[in-house]
Amino acid sequence: MKVTFVGKDQDCHVLKSLFGKDMVGMDSEWRPQMTKFDMMRPALLQLSDESNSFLIDLISLANSQVLDQILTELFT
């Protein structure tokens, strides 16, 4: 299985290879909560098909419109 790290807007285009797949696996990892005032949010999203796995840095891409557009198209 090929693993690809996605941490910048220009990396996001590789996720388009998941479009049209019959099945896409998904997993996420969460940033630890240090105090009760910390905002809980996912830190890493993993999307995989039968031969590729993509590790998406959601902290680095928190405000990425490119990632938002691709994930919206993938999940709809």
Side-chain angles (χ1 to χ4, degrees):
M1 173 163 297
K2 181 180 177 186
V3 177
T4 304
F5 183 76
V6 179
K8 299 177 184 169
D9 276 345
Q10 59 265 31
D11 300 334
C12 292
H13 72 280
V14 298
L15 300 172
K16 292 181 180 182
S17 68
L18 297 171
F19 290 177
K21 297 288 181 170
D22 290 333
M23 189 179 314
V24 174
M26 182 175 77
D27 185 29
S28 61
E29 303 297 330
W30 294 78
R31 190 184 84 187
Q33 184 176 358
M34 305 307 275
T35 70
K36 66 180 181 177
F37 301 108
D38 281 344
M39 186 175 91
M40 291 292 292
R41 63 181 187 186
L44 185 73
L45 177 65
Q46 178 182 335
L47 299 175
S48 301
D49 63 14
E50 62 278 350
S51 58
N52 296 292
S53 185
F54 302 98
L55 301 177
I56 305 163
D57 183 344
L58 295 177
I59 293 174
S60 294
L61 292 166
N63 298 313
S64 172
Q65 291 181 3
V66 174
L67 180 62
D68 287 351
Q69 291 171 350
I70 290 172
L71 291 180
T72 297
E73 188 170 344
L74 178 64
F75 290 124
T76 55

